[in-house]
């Protein structure tokens, strides 16, 4: 248990140690900035170890209140003798990784839903049952039969759409069980991918114009970290519930759908070479749709990669060189996601101020009414968008 005096002296000693080390290594720090990161990390680790030990040490039964107010034999004669707790656990370290990974999988499924994979299989089922296509006893025909028989055991399309609305904010209406839609997700996700892409664009520029290309870049680590923490914290409360079970089941459903679409008899029926060709052919022939298969599928893959990276503790890394090394994993996925999203007009490269206000929907001092629609004379709720 640390007293207030020991608590104060600890930070004074650490500050003096930092100043002394910086003075002795001033010449080396000028030529090798990474040395400064390494020294600061060691000092921060030492301070963190001391605070952890103090936080886990047993406290008095009254929490130190008797010392502070002067009651009992242990009453403090001066403020420096009272117990000084170091603080509580850090908020940003309490996010469960498995829930963020589940959101990444749900985002992957949502993009395939928007492409129309499940609608294509349902259309094939309809044509198969009507005898309108030349399928009878091949693997694709048998797969369509089993796909239809298992339908009663699965989450319905309505269940999936409600989950997308609740967790990702995409679609219209309310989320699962009338939950509040997560309308902030898309804006925070675009912000994070933009900041990751901008960071690496800054780094590439600094690599070109400076003599030592491997020095830390002038990109802002703090902005990337803050935008990533904002997104991860946004997902903290929306990833509860049946999300884990639902995404496992729908991932199995997606795999089964592609086994049907890639079956030999189905490929021969449409003159396709793979399952994606079948998807495109059915969407063109029976739905008369403009294909967005390629950008949507790449958004699914790269978006899931970015969200999976957020599930790891990399975003909390404080050493610049290590943070850059870990962030390199999603540098290209972030750029590719933004480019694909731009082609669909659902995101833009950031030209606005780097930091989003916490209350994005209500400017300071201005009351903005919710946008509503009226159908048949009845007032409906706020209008959502399917992104």
């Amino acid at each position: 248990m640390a007293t207030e005096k020991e608590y104060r002296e600890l930070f004074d000693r650490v500050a003096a140690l930092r100043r002394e080390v910086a003075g002795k290594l001033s010449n080396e720090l000028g030529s090798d900035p990474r040395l400064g990161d390494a020294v600061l990390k060691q000092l921060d680790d030492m301070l963190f170890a001391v605070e952890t030990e103090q936080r886990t040490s047993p406290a008095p039964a009254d929490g130190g209140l008797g010392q502070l107010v002067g009651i009992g034999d242990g009453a403090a004669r001066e403020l420096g003798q009272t117990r000084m707790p170091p603080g509580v656990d850090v908020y940003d370290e309490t996010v469960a990784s498995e829930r963020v990974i589940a959101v990444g999988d749900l985002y992957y499924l949502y993009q395939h839903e928007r492409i129309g994979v499940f609608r294509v299989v349902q259309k094939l089922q309809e044509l198969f049952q009507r005898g309108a296509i030349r399928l009878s006893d091949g693997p694709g025909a048998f797969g369509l039969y089993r796909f239809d028989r298992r339908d009663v055991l699965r989450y319905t399309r309505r269940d999936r759409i409600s989950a997308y609305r609740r967790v990702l904010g995409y679609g219209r209406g309310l989320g699962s069980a009338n939950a509040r839609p997560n309308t902030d997700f898309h804006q925070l996700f675009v912000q994070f991918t933009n900041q990751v892409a901008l960071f690496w664009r800054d780094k590439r520029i600094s690599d070109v114009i400076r003599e030592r290309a491997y020095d830390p870049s002038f990109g802002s680590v703090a902005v990337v970290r803050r935008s990533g923490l904002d997104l991860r914290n946004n997902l903290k409360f929306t990833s509860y519930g049946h999300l884990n079970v639902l995404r496992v089941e729908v991932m199995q459903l997606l795999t089964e759908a592609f086994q049907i679409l890639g079956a030999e008899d189905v490929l021969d029926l449409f003159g396709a070479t793979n399952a994606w060709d079948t998807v495109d052919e059915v969407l063109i022939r029976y739905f008369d749709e403009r294909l967005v298969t390629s950008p949507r599928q790449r958004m699914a893959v790269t978006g899931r990669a970015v969200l999976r990276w957020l599930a790891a503790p990399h975003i909390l890394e404080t050493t610049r060189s290590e943070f850059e090394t870990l962030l390199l994993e999603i540098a290209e996925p972030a750029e590719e996601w933004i480019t694909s999203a731009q082609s669909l007009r659902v995101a833009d490269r950031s030209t606005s101020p780097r930091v989003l206000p916490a209350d994005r929907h209500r400017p300071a001092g201005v009351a903005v009414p919710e946008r509503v629609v009226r159908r048949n004379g009845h007032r409906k709720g706020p209008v959502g968008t399917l992104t």
Side-chain angles (χ1 to χ4, degrees):
M1 180 185 69
T3 64
E4 192 276 337
K5 181 179 180 181
E6 293 171 344
Y7 179 82
R8 178 171 15 97
E9 290 177 347
L10 171 64
F11 287 96
D12 290 341
R13 291 197 302 271
V14 170
L17 180 59
R18 291 180 191 271
R19 185 170 60 251
E20 183 179 355
V21 171
K24 290 183 177 180
L25 299 179
S26 57
N27 294 331
E28 290 82 355
L29 292 174
S31 59
D32 187 4
R34 288 175 293 185
L35 178 61
D37 284 342
V39 171
L40 290 176
K41 180 172 174 55
Q42 291 185 1
L43 294 176
D44 289 341
D45 290 343
M46 292 169 55
L47 181 60
F48 178 77
V50 173
E51 290 181 343
T52 302
E53 182 180 359
Q54 293 177 356
R55 188 179 294 116
T56 56
S57 62
D62 63 350
L65 181 63
Q67 288 180 333
L68 185 62
V69 300
I71 299 176
D73 297 336
R77 296 187 178 183
E78 57 183 22
L79 182 63
Q81 296 176 346
T82 59
R83 175 178 177 263
M84 181 63 186
V88 297
D89 293 336
V90 179
Y91 176 85
D92 291 320
E93 295 180 356
T94 60
V95 177
S97 62
E98 62 271 15
R99 299 209 309 270
V100 181
I101 292 174
V103 173
D105 291 335
L106 188 72
Y107 183 84
Y108 179 85
L109 291 167
Y110 167 77
Q111 294 298 345
H112 285 84
E113 186 99 43
R114 286 302 310 275
I115 289 171
V117 173
F118 299 128
R119 287 189 294 123
V120 166
V121 177
Q122 290 170 351
K123 188 64 178 180
L124 288 179
Q125 271 190 321
E126 176 188 335
L127 296 172
F128 177 63
Q129 293 168 357
R130 286 164 42 194
I133 51 178
R134 296 179 180 274
L135 292 177
S136 57
D137 58 353
F142 187 56
L144 286 172
Y145 162 76
R146 293 198 299 184
F147 194 89
D148 183 40
R149 295 300 94 190
R150 296 174 183 175
D151 187 60
V152 295
L153 303 176
R154 299 192 180 102
Y155 284 105
T156 64
R157 181 178 182 274
R158 183 175 181 178
D159 295 330
R160 301 197 304 268
I161 297 301
S162 296
Y164 301 146
R165 180 65 172 159
R166 176 175 71 85
V167 180
L168 305 176
Y170 296 151
R172 289 185 173 87
L174 298 174
S176 304
N178 295 331
R180 183 175 64 182
N182 184 17
T183 54
D184 289 335
F185 167 78
H186 184 72
Q187 191 173 10
L188 291 171
F189 188 60
V190 172
Q191 171 79 349
F192 178 60
T193 52
N194 262 307
Q195 296 307 330
V196 172
L198 181 60
F199 180 88
W200 286 103
R201 274 176 256 155
D202 290 345
K203 180 170 176 59
R204 284 192 290 269
I205 294 172
S206 66
D207 290 347
V208 171
I209 66 177
R210 294 190 305 174
E211 180 180 355
R212 294 183 299 274
Y214 293 102
D215 285 351
S217 68
F218 53 77
S220 176
V221 171
V223 174
V224 177
R225 181 183 295 113
R226 185 65 260 166
S227 60
L229 290 174
D230 286 343
L231 174 58
R232 198 171 74 155
N233 293 334
N234 171 261
L235 300 175
K236 180 177 181 178
F237 296 103
T238 61
S239 54
Y240 285 112
H242 70 315
L243 171 61
N244 272 291
V245 178
L246 181 141
R247 57 105 179 189
V248 171
E249 180 178 294
V250 182
M251 285 293 288
Q252 295 176 356
L253 179 67
L254 182 65
T255 301
E256 187 176 346
F258 266 79
Q259 290 174 351
I260 295 171
L261 298 172
E264 184 177 353
D265 53 341
V266 176
L267 294 179
D268 292 341
L269 180 66
F270 293 100
T273 57
N274 55 52
W276 281 116
D277 286 348
T278 304
V279 171
D280 291 343
E281 185 64 29
V282 173
L283 289 174
I284 294 172
R285 185 180 301 184
Y286 295 101
F287 294 96
D288 191 25
E289 288 193 2
R290 170 181 168 270
L291 296 180
V292 292
T293 309
S294 179
R296 285 281 181 191
Q297 213 278 327
R298 292 311 301 169
M299 286 175 67
V301 173
T302 56
R304 181 167 67 167
V306 171
L307 290 171
R308 282 177 173 175
W309 188 87
L310 272 181
H314 306 328
I315 196 69
L316 300 173
E317 180 58 55
T318 56
T319 304
R320 186 184 186 91
S321 57
E322 294 184 16
F323 185 85
E324 285 190 3
T325 302
L326 295 171
L327 191 65
L328 181 60
E329 180 184 348
I330 58 170
E332 296 304 321
E335 284 279 10
E336 187 173 354
W337 186 92
I338 294 173
T339 303
S340 299
Q342 273 188 301
S343 69
L344 298 176
R345 297 184 180 180
V346 297
D348 290 313
R349 294 188 183 274
S350 179
T351 57
S352 60
R354 286 191 168 207
V355 180
L356 288 174
D359 190 0
R360 289 173 290 281
H361 306 298
R362 187 184 295 270
V366 180
V368 181
E370 291 183 331
R371 185 163 62 96
V372 298
V373 294
R374 292 184 178 272
R375 298 194 184 111
N376 299 325
H378 297 287
R379 186 178 184 272
K380 301 295 183 181
V383 176
T385 57
L386 191 62
T387 305

